[in-house]
């Protein structure tokens, strides 16, 4: 039986209608039953979870108020949990046991959430399908012949299957939003600096974001309120005050100006995605928002600069395991065949190219600030296609074959490059496969896009559908 949502569980446990231990036992039973056919977890820490749940029950008996009381969750396995391996989905780090909890894990635990374990991912978070030669391919919960999206594949599958109501992922080019879109969930990439990354293994220091996946914007808002805020252990985190996101969901979106960047974002879409996103824009207008066509400049340059930065920074972090430029022996040979060439290629990005990419970033952010001055947020498709089949390398779009990496990431990576907050919310189906709408806010304006997503979900039922249930 799938778990109910964060709000329902926390309310039931806080009011002693259920115990955190009961909720946790149910989540563990479902996780263990599904693991044989769906490798969402790399480490399922059942004993640890039960002990933590019992601690929550004791705190509640003593009168504690915990906003996430007894809510099961799990984290992508590049986020540290004390006493558990942080594998990054790689054989290279299979025995790398963490000594302390990541800041986000610590904050969620203090709020009463119960950690079930560590979730599968595309190795080193350097991929977009969720295929993993070491720990198994995460299958799309709606169609096991198709990918779940990456790199936070296990994070999406665990929520879609109902094991836990929310999980944590990381997003460097779309790795929260893409699996959320392909699996029918809400996935939030907060603004750069909103959520601490201390205790997480980096892929790209200047573009990594940690954020939640859940079924609803309301659950996402609650989790973000607990996670967000300044952390002295992560110097990139902002000192800006953290709003009570959940309390700001119910305001009207009437009069809100939503920018629609049709160039680039709407040019190469499957028919089903185009139809669903256009229908979502109509629904937002019916809710009182105004849509305004806008144009984001420099998008081809963004893709090139993003590539230079992510390759250089990833190679820099993993360099001790790669050996000198051009080598492929030693520990480098233990990386998967799809990941090893990417990490090695980054060694050949010159300092000149890297610095040019960072300089371009400042110019592009400045230009985009002028666009956002005229609108409250942007709306685009999250992905131009629904989940593709395992082994597929291209997508047919506008009468031509587009490399899958470009199809899947071109609409999401610009906002890792810029640092704007962005989320994906379910907006339709192509047959039985989910479609996502991407909402992008001004810097640190997560409340705006969560509010738009919440109002949209109040007026639609896409998020209420479950894998394995007929939608006819």
């Amino acid at each position: 039986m799938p778990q109910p949502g964060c709000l329902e569980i926390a309310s039931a446990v806080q009011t002693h209608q259920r115990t955190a231990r009961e909720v946790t036992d149910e989540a563990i039973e479902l996780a263990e039953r599904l693991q044989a056919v769906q490798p969402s977890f790399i480490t399922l820490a059942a004993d640890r979870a039960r002990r933590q749940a019992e601690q929550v029950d004791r705190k509640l008996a003593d009168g504690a108020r915990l906003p996430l009381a007894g809510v099961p969750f799990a984290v992508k396995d590049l986020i540290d949990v004390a006493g558990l391996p942080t594998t990054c989905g790689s054989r290279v780090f299979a025995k790398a046991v963490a000594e302390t909890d990541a800041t986000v894990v610590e904050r969620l635990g203090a709020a009463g959430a119960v950690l079930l374990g560590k979730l599968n991912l595309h190795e080193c978070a350097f991929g977009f399908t969720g295929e993993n030669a070491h720990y198994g391919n995460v299958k799309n919960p709606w169609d096991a012949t198709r990918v779940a999206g990456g790199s936070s594949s296990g994070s999406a599958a665990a929520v879609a299957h109902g094991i836990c109501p929310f999980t944590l992922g990381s997003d460097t080019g779309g790795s929260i939003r893409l699996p959320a879109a392909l699996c029918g969930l809400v996935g939030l990439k907060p603004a750069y600096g909103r959520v601490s990354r201390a205790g997480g293994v980096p892929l790209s220091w200047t573009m990594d974001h940690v954020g939640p996946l859940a079924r609803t914007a309301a659950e996402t808002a609650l989790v973000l309120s607990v996670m967000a805020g300044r952390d002295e252990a992560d110097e990139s985190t902002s000192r800006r005050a953290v709003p009570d996101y959940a309390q700001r969901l119910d305001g009207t979106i009437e009069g809100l100006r939503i920018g629609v960047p049709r160039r680039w974002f709407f040019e190469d879409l499957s028919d089903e995605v185009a139809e669903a996103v256009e229908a979502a824009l109509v629904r937002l207008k019916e809710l009182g928002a105004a849509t305004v066509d806008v144009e984001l400049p420099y998008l081809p340059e963004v893709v090139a600069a993003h590539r230079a930065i992510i390759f250089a920074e990833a190679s820099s972090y993993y360099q001790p395991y790669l050996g000198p430029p051009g080598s492929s022996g030693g520990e480098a040979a233990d990386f998967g065949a799809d990941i090893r060439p990417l990490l090695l290629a980054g060694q050949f990005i010159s300092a000149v190219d890297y610095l040019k990419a960072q300089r371009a970033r400042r110019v592009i952010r400045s230009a985009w600030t002028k666009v956002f001055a005229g609108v409250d947020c942007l709306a685009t498709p999250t992905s131009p296609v629904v989940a593709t089949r395992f082994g597929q390398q291209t997508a047919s779009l506008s009468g031509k074959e587009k490399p899958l990496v470009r199809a899947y990431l071109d609409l999401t990576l610009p906002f890792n490059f810029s640092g704007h907050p962005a989320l994906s919310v379910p907006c339709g189906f192509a047959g039985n496969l989910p479609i996502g709408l991407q909402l992008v806010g001004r810097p640190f304006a997560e409340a705006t896009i969560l509010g738009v997503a919440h109002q949209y979900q109040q007026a639609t039922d896409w998020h209420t559908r479950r894998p394995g249930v007929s939608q006819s």
Side-chain angles (χ1 to χ4, degrees):
M1 181 72 178
Q3 292 281 8
C6 297
L7 303 173
E8 293 83 0
I9 290 174
S11 175
V13 173
Q14 187 75 57
T15 57
H16 308 290
Q17 299 172 53
R18 303 189 71 196
T19 67
R21 176 60 190 263
E22 289 170 348
V23 173
T24 299
D25 284 342
E26 290 177 4
I28 291 169
E29 189 277 330
L30 180 56
E32 290 177 338
R33 180 157 49 86
L34 288 174
Q35 188 67 12
V37 295
Q38 171 65 290
S40 298
F41 284 83
I42 290 177
T43 302
L44 183 60
D47 291 342
R48 183 190 190 280
R50 292 188 176 104
R51 290 194 301 270
Q52 189 177 13
E54 290 165 358
Q55 291 172 358
V56 169
D57 288 329
R58 287 194 293 270
K59 289 179 181 179
L60 294 175
D62 292 337
R65 299 292 298 176
L66 302 172
L68 290 172
V71 177
F73 78 108
V75 300
K76 187 175 183 177
D77 197 8
L78 50 65
I79 297 171
D80 284 347
V81 175
L84 300 182
T86 301
T87 71
C88 301
S90 178
R91 185 169 62 185
V92 174
F93 307 105
K95 298 180 180 179
V97 176
E99 296 182 359
T100 59
D101 287 342
T103 298
V104 288
V105 171
E106 182 180 325
R107 289 179 177 177
L108 291 166
V114 176
L115 185 127
L116 299 180
K118 310 290 289 295
L119 294 161
N120 205 347
L121 66 152
H122 205 115
E123 186 177 4
C124 298
F126 212 172
F128 53 92
T129 63
E131 294 168 279
N132 188 303
H134 309 297
Y135 298 100
N137 297 337
V138 179
K139 307 175 187 71
N140 192 294
W142 296 87
D143 183 342
T145 69
R146 296 174 184 267
V147 302
S151 60
S152 305
S153 48
S155 301
V159 177
H161 281 300
I163 296 170
C164 41
F166 82 92
T167 58
L168 297 188
S170 68
D171 191 314
T172 311
S175 290
I176 290 172
R177 290 159 290 157
L178 177 61
L182 301 190
C183 295
L185 306 173
V186 173
L188 172 68
K189 179 195 79 66
Y192 186 82
R194 178 57 89 188
V195 172
S196 174
R197 299 167 300 164
V201 176
L203 179 64
S204 171
W205 291 282
T206 64
M207 294 191 295
D208 289 342
H209 303 67
V210 171
L213 296 92
R215 289 199 180 277
T216 68
E219 293 171 292
T220 304
L222 174 61
V223 173
L224 182 63
S225 293
V226 172
M227 293 169 56
R230 175 66 181 175
D231 178 19
E232 297 302 328
D234 179 357
E235 63 183 14
S236 73
T237 50
S238 173
R239 297 186 184 277
R240 291 173 182 245
V242 177
D244 186 336
Y245 296 105
Q247 292 297 318
R248 296 178 60 176
L249 289 175
D250 292 326
T252 179
I253 65 170
E254 189 168 352
L256 202 76
R257 290 170 61 84
I258 299 177
V260 182
R262 294 197 173 275
R263 187 181 72 85
W264 186 275
F265 292 94
F266 286 77
E267 289 176 341
D268 294 324
L269 306 178
S270 70
D271 291 343
E272 297 90 346
V273 169
E275 181 179 344
V277 172
E278 293 294 348
L281 293 175
V282 169
R283 181 55 60 94
L284 291 173
K285 287 193 286 186
E286 292 171 348
L287 294 171
T291 59
V292 182
D293 284 351
V294 298
E295 182 169 332
L296 290 178
Y298 304 120
L299 285 162
E301 290 82 1
V302 166
V303 172
H306 180 280
R307 182 179 178 86
I309 291 169
I310 192 173
F311 272 70
E313 292 185 355
S315 183
S316 174
Y317 178 80
Y318 286 103
Q319 191 277 329
Y321 310 98
L322 297 174
S327 71
S328 59
E331 288 177 299
D334 290 333
F335 289 106
D338 58 333
I339 299 304
R340 184 170 60 250
L342 302 180
L343 296 175
L344 292 170
Q347 296 182 329
F348 297 94
I349 301 291
S350 72
V352 170
D353 289 339
Y354 176 78
L355 293 172
K356 282 183 177 179
Q358 293 289 14
R359 288 183 65 191
R361 203 173 194 173
R362 291 191 289 273
V363 172
I364 291 164
R365 280 175 174 165
S366 177
W368 288 11
T369 297
K370 296 175 183 176
V371 176
F372 275 92
V375 295
D376 297 290
C377 67
L378 305 180
T380 81
T382 307
S383 167
V385 292
V386 294
T388 50
R389 296 190 184 279
F390 284 104
Q392 190 171 330
Q393 298 297 316
T394 62
S396 296
L397 295 167
S398 300
K400 58 183 182 293
E401 293 297 313
K402 190 170 187 177
L404 208 56
V405 62
R406 293 292 307 273
Y408 271 147
L409 300 182
D410 275 6
L411 308 188
T412 53
L413 70 78
F415 307 110
N416 296 88
F417 184 79
S418 68
H420 289 84
L423 65 76
S424 183
V425 60
C427 72
F429 281 79
N432 199 43
L433 296 172
I435 296 168
L437 172 73
Q438 180 173 226
L439 299 171
V440 185
R442 294 171 179 167
F444 297 97
E446 292 90 356
T448 299
I449 56 176
L450 284 166
V452 174
H454 178 67
Q455 293 302 318
Y456 178 75
Q457 289 192 302
Q458 294 297 102
T460 60
D461 68 353
W462 306 118
H463 62 287
T464 67
R465 304 186 181 196
R466 300 292 187 268
V469 177
S470 174
Q471 309 302 338
S472 59

